[in-house]
Amino acid sequence: MGDLPETTARDLHVMGITPGMIKEAIEKTGKVIHGKIVRFSLPKDNHNHNPQIRRARNYLKSDWEFVAERPSIVVKEERYDENFSNFDEDKKTEFQFEKSVTITTGNDYTLTKSFDVSVNASIPLGLSGAMMGFTSSQSASEVKAHSTSTAETRKVSFDVEVPAGEGRAVSTVTTRTSTDNVFRAMLGVQGTVGIEVDPAWYLPNHHWWIYNIEKVFPNATASREIIRSRIDTKVDNIIRRIDGHKVGDIVECRSVVFPHPTPDGALLTEKLGGNLVENIGCEAALDFESESPAPSAFTAELVIQIDFRDTHPIDHGDRLSQVTALHMMVQAQIQPTGCIGVIGGVIWLPNTEEMTEATFSIPFDPTRITRDGLIEQFVQLKRTIAWNGSHQVNFI
């Protein structure tokens, strides 16, 4: 404790402790304090050979903790459109679509709140975990220097099959997003803190102390916050039917491989009762809201077919969790509420071991949501999942 920064009167005010609060706390024990408060009293260790007195010092109350994730914002969006026509042929034709895109990923760090109290290198902050290396005394520019960013050019390339007498409109949308994660560290004060009181002009000043201030004011803290903005890039390729020289329904959605940061393990676990437990849960709802429209209202159906046979296939171990998460999100988040029915179970082809293709059906009420509107919401929800591999989505 001897190397920790000594607490000052200003530090105590920052942490929310005033001389008046010290006086009030002491008087609650039945002591009577006469006179005018002059200032805080911060004695040295073993003052006047009293072993109960310890110099008040600022100490680390909690290391960096993840406290909030804010909704992602779109930093930049680029769109490229290309049409393929097969109106004059009597058989289907395959065209090659190619487009180069820039994938940007990284983390940007911003110091948004300083401790504003006495700190030094002895405070063991940032020695491990998700925010290792971020200390108590770094300046805003030193925090910013931890930021990293990588830009990589990738080629999007795939075949587009166009039936006879039709056309296809391919739209490549590259979306760069930023997601803020807020991390907070806390300092407290421990040791002896008191007040100096002037009882009268003809009497010497008195010092009243609380030996263990941390026990009396356990919530007295100063905090420091850093925002880590996670930069991600999503690439979606939407293929629409051109019929009668008009762009119509979406028929396919293709996703290419792109770098995606792995979430910090610190965000996925937490301590509970001294044990490390997962910060993840999943529960299947057995009963749906009784106020949902009658099944007879769902006269239309959208079949989702996710094909994992591609040049950079997703690991088998991830496919089940990814499709299950998407299935549950679609059931819970498609708007307006009640426009879709109970989604059928996922069918895996050729079997649940190889898991080459996943299919499920979404019944919907066409008077409340259009097919394209449902597909657009589906695509937005699909973007929120880290696929970590290439795949193709067909809408039937």
Side-chain angles (χ1 to χ4, degrees):
M1 177 179 171
D3 294 330
L4 293 174
E6 295 184 351
T7 305
T8 66
R10 181 181 178 282
D11 293 349
L12 293 170
H13 281 291
V14 171
M15 294 185 193
I17 300 176
T18 65
M21 293 167 64
I22 301 289
K23 179 175 184 289
E24 182 180 351
I26 294 173
E27 288 184 330
K28 283 183 178 179
T29 66
K31 305 290 193 299
V32 178
I33 301 176
H34 296 291
K36 178 182 178 181
I37 298 175
V38 178
R39 62 177 70 87
F40 278 114
S41 178
L42 298 168
K44 297 292 184 180
D45 290 329
N46 300 311
H47 176 72
N48 283 340
H49 307 290
N50 184 344
Q52 287 185 278
I53 294 179
R54 298 173 300 145
R55 178 64 172 89
R57 296 178 183 274
N58 298 335
Y59 74 103
L60 183 63
K61 196 166 187 178
S62 66
D63 208 332
W64 293 111
E65 291 184 350
F66 172 73
V67 294
E69 178 170 294
R70 298 171 181 170
S72 299
I73 61 172
V74 176
V75 177
K76 185 177 182 180
E77 185 172 275
E78 296 178 335
R79 181 187 179 105
Y80 173 79
D81 298 300
E82 186 172 346
N83 294 342
F84 300 93
S85 300
N86 191 26
F87 297 112
D88 300 326
E89 300 293 331
D90 56 0
K91 61 181 180 179
K92 69 180 180 181
T93 303
E94 283 193 353
F95 296 89
Q96 182 72 20
F97 175 81
E98 287 191 357
K99 178 71 172 73
S100 293
V101 296
T102 301
I103 306 298
T104 303
T105 58
N107 290 298
D108 183 66
Y109 294 90
T110 304
L111 177 66
T112 56
K113 184 180 181 182
S114 297
F115 281 128
D116 205 24
V117 296
S118 303
V119 295
N120 65 19
S122 294
I123 295 176
L125 179 61
L127 299 183
S128 63
M131 296 292 283
M132 185 171 67
F134 291 89
T135 68
S136 61
S137 57
Q138 287 172 330
S139 65
S141 61
E142 289 173 326
V143 170
K144 181 65 70 175
H146 283 260
S147 301
T148 59
S149 179
T150 301
E152 182 179 354
T153 300
R154 291 288 187 94
K155 179 182 286 187
V156 179
S157 179
F158 53 83
D159 294 331
V160 180
E161 185 179 282
V162 184
E166 294 185 12
R168 291 291 183 267
V170 181
S171 298
T172 295
V173 181
T174 305
T175 307
R176 187 188 310 168
T177 60
S178 177
T179 307
D180 288 349
N181 290 325
V182 182
F183 291 84
R184 179 182 300 146
M186 309 285 285
L187 293 185
V189 56
Q190 59 185 6
T192 302
V193 175
I195 52 176
E196 182 180 348
V197 178
D198 181 3
W201 64 269
Y202 53 86
L203 293 174
N205 289 357
H206 287 64
H207 293 264
W208 292 84
W209 294 310
I210 297 175
Y211 291 130
N212 299 297
I213 194 70
E214 65 273 21
K215 295 182 179 180
V216 180
F217 296 102
N219 297 321
T221 56
S223 62
R224 181 176 175 89
E225 290 186 358
I226 289 177
I227 291 179
R228 183 183 65 189
S229 302
R230 189 179 68 246
I231 304 167
D232 294 328
T233 303
K234 302 282 186 179
V235 179
D236 289 294
N237 302 284
I238 309 299
I239 304 176
R240 295 176 181 269
R241 177 182 292 109
I242 301 177
D243 193 2
H245 300 281
K246 292 184 179 179
V247 177
D249 294 341
I250 297 173
V251 292
E252 290 183 28
C253 174
R254 299 189 179 213
S255 295
V256 298
V257 180
F258 59 92
H260 196 289
T262 302
D264 289 308
L267 308 184
L268 303 178
T269 57
E270 62 181 343
K271 285 188 176 180
L272 187 64
N275 297 318
L276 197 63
V277 299
E278 287 190 337
N279 190 26
I280 303 170
C282 178
E283 178 178 303
L286 300 179
D287 297 310
F288 292 93
E289 294 292 336
S290 59
E291 296 179 0
S292 297
S296 59
F298 306 120
T299 57
E301 181 182 61
L302 175 65
V303 178
I304 306 296
Q305 183 185 73
I306 305 176
D307 192 338
F308 292 97
R309 292 170 294 187
D310 216 320
T311 54
H312 300 280
I314 298 169
D315 290 341
H316 282 71
D318 295 332
R319 296 179 189 181
L320 178 60
S321 60
Q322 291 167 342
V323 173
T324 301
L326 181 60
H327 184 283
M328 296 175 67
M329 289 168 62
V330 171
Q331 183 71 76
Q333 298 184 36
I334 294 294
Q335 296 295 319
T337 301
C339 69
I340 66 172
V342 178
I343 301 175
V346 178
I347 300 174
W348 289 96
L349 296 176
N351 50 56
T352 55
E353 292 182 358
E354 294 185 38
M355 294 191 293
T356 300
E357 182 181 286
T359 302
F360 58 89
S361 302
I362 307 175
F364 66 96
D365 183 349
T367 66
R368 304 192 63 193
I369 188 171
T370 65
R371 183 178 188 275
D372 274 4
L374 178 56
I375 291 175
E376 288 173 3
Q377 289 193 50
F378 174 89
V379 171
Q380 291 297 322
L381 291 173
K382 190 180 78 68
R383 286 182 179 181
T384 65
I385 295 176
W387 294 91
N388 298 322
S390 55
H391 57 287
Q392 177 179 323
V393 179
N394 299 317
F395 302 106
I396 304 171

